[in-house]
Amino acid sequence: MSNQVESPAEAPDVMRANTVAREMFDRIADRWALLVINALGAGTLRFSRLHEVVEGVSHKMLTQTLRGLERDGIVRRRVHPTSPPRVDYALTGPGAELLRAVTAICGWTRDHITHIETAREEFDARRSAEVR
Amino acid sequence: MSNQVESPAEAPDVMRANTVAREMFDRIADRWALLVINALGAGTLRFSRLHEVVEGVSHKMLTQTLRGLERDGIVRRRVHPTSPPRVDYALTGPGAELLRAVTAICGWTRDHITHIETAREEFDARRSAEVR
DNA sequence: CTGAATCCGCTCCGATACTG
DNA sequence: CAGTATCGGAGCGGATTCAG
């Protein structure tokens, strides 16, 4: 039976603070991390290619994000012993599962651009009407 | 109608910087925004209840996040003319669609805690072994 | 080409106080 | 109870430089 324990360390839920689940969630729930995962959904990509595909990401943040994702086993890094160095990145098995959810978010965003723009206009209009 | 293009050089979506899609994505791809959406998946919640459910969020960030989500038509805010004030929040139709993707991410996180912890240990061990 | 480290501006975020 | 405003510190994140 599952006894109601008050120790929050035992609840593997993202809603609880100071848990491993939340810590992982914080890494994933990041714009650059999500965009990198989304980009790798198209297949293996080199560092320089990723830098192009994920527009707006700086050299530093891309490296940092990739390290984090690699450390958590979401992305696999492969170094080719050539000169100049050639490194490519790909999603791991679990990473590919996560990709589906990420793709869904990106798709939702694309499909609701109009809805959101409309909602914003209404919201802003209502605001300026109230403030007066 | 997902058109698999061979060269992702031209990505007319969230991958492009300075677009409406990216702007929206940046708001959604935020830990507090995602956690709030996830929390509202259980149904309508009052402000104070949200504050409890989404552990770790500050009063200010919760308000700020809710305003953003409301403005983008993801969350609906309802004020009850009582005393003391009573305000509750719920997902809109589009918000409920987005919820599915968010739930998927939260679920993935729960299901892969062990995998990630293992990956981290291996990564860290490999690191300290290389550095020597 | 890839990556690590440094500097530093700037934004985020928490704490606090005040309003309705 | 819910929301807004302000302030100050902490950390994000960009530009740059150097190494392999």
Side-chain angles (χ1 to χ4, degrees):
Chain A
M1 67 189 67
S2 62
N3 48 352
Q4 284 284 23
V5 194
E6 54 188 43
S7 58
E10 223 170 353
D13 188 9
V14 292
M15 302 308 288
R16 314 212 88 164
N18 305 319
T19 61
V20 183
R22 174 66 75 82
E23 189 186 343
M24 288 165 44
F25 186 82
D26 286 347
R27 161 152 302 149
I28 299 168
D30 170 76
R31 56 181 149 165
W32 297 133
L34 291 173
L35 287 175
V36 164
I37 292 171
N38 185 53
L40 290 178
T44 302
L45 289 177
R46 295 182 57 181
F47 181 87
S48 51
R49 191 84 187 97
L50 268 173
H51 204 343
E52 295 169 3
V53 173
V54 183
E55 290 188 10
V57 68
S58 69
H59 188 111
K60 176 187 173 180
M61 289 315 295
L62 180 55
T63 302
Q64 192 170 301
T65 301
L66 284 170
R67 283 301 153 277
L69 293 176
E70 182 196 0
R71 180 167 184 262
D72 284 354
I74 296 171
V75 157
R76 194 204 52 196
R77 176 173 177 265
R78 199 167 45 181
V79 183
H80 300 270
T82 61
S83 178
R86 192 184 174 91
V87 182
D88 56 36
Y89 295 88
L91 292 175
T92 62
E97 294 178 31
L98 179 57
L99 170 67
R100 281 190 237 135
V102 176
T103 301
I105 290 186
C106 294
W108 183 92
T109 304
R110 268 203 326 277
D111 298 341
H112 292 79
I113 290 182
T114 303
H115 166 264
I116 289 196
E117 286 183 327
T118 303
R120 282 187 182 177
E121 289 168 9
E122 289 180 3
F123 182 86
D124 295 342
R126 205 178 317 134
R127 279 241 142 172
S128 53
E130 289 170 356
V131 174
R132 183 137 347 274
Chain B
M1 273 70 79
S2 54
N3 194 1
Q4 282 288 1
V5 186
E6 190 63 26
S7 78
E10 189 167 349
D13 56 356
V14 292
M15 304 308 288
R16 304 208 78 129
N18 305 321
T19 60
V20 183
R22 173 66 72 83
E23 187 187 343
M24 288 166 42
F25 186 82
D26 285 347
R27 161 154 303 152
I28 300 168
D30 171 75
R31 54 182 152 161
W32 297 132
L34 291 174
L35 287 176
V36 164
I37 292 171
N38 186 54
L40 290 178
T44 302
L45 289 177
R46 296 181 56 181
F47 181 88
S48 51
R49 190 84 188 99
L50 267 173
H51 203 344
E52 295 169 2
V53 173
V54 183
E55 290 189 8
V57 68
S58 69
H59 188 109
K60 175 185 175 181
M61 289 314 295
L62 181 55
T63 301
Q64 193 171 299
T65 301
L66 285 169
R67 282 301 153 277
L69 293 175
E70 183 194 0
R71 179 168 184 260
D72 284 355
I74 297 171
V75 157
R76 191 209 56 200
R77 177 172 177 267
R78 199 168 45 183
V79 183
H80 300 269
T82 60
S83 178
R86 192 184 174 91
V87 182
D88 56 36
Y89 295 88
L91 293 176
T92 61
E97 294 178 31
L98 180 57
L99 170 68
R100 281 190 239 134
V102 176
T103 301
I105 289 186
C106 294
W108 183 93
T109 304
R110 269 203 325 276
D111 297 343
H112 291 80
I113 290 182
T114 304
H115 167 263
I116 289 196
E117 285 183 325
T118 304
R120 282 186 181 177
E121 288 169 8
E122 289 180 3
F123 182 86
D124 294 342
R126 206 178 315 134
R127 280 237 142 175
S128 52
E130 290 169 356
V131 176
R132 196 156 323 152

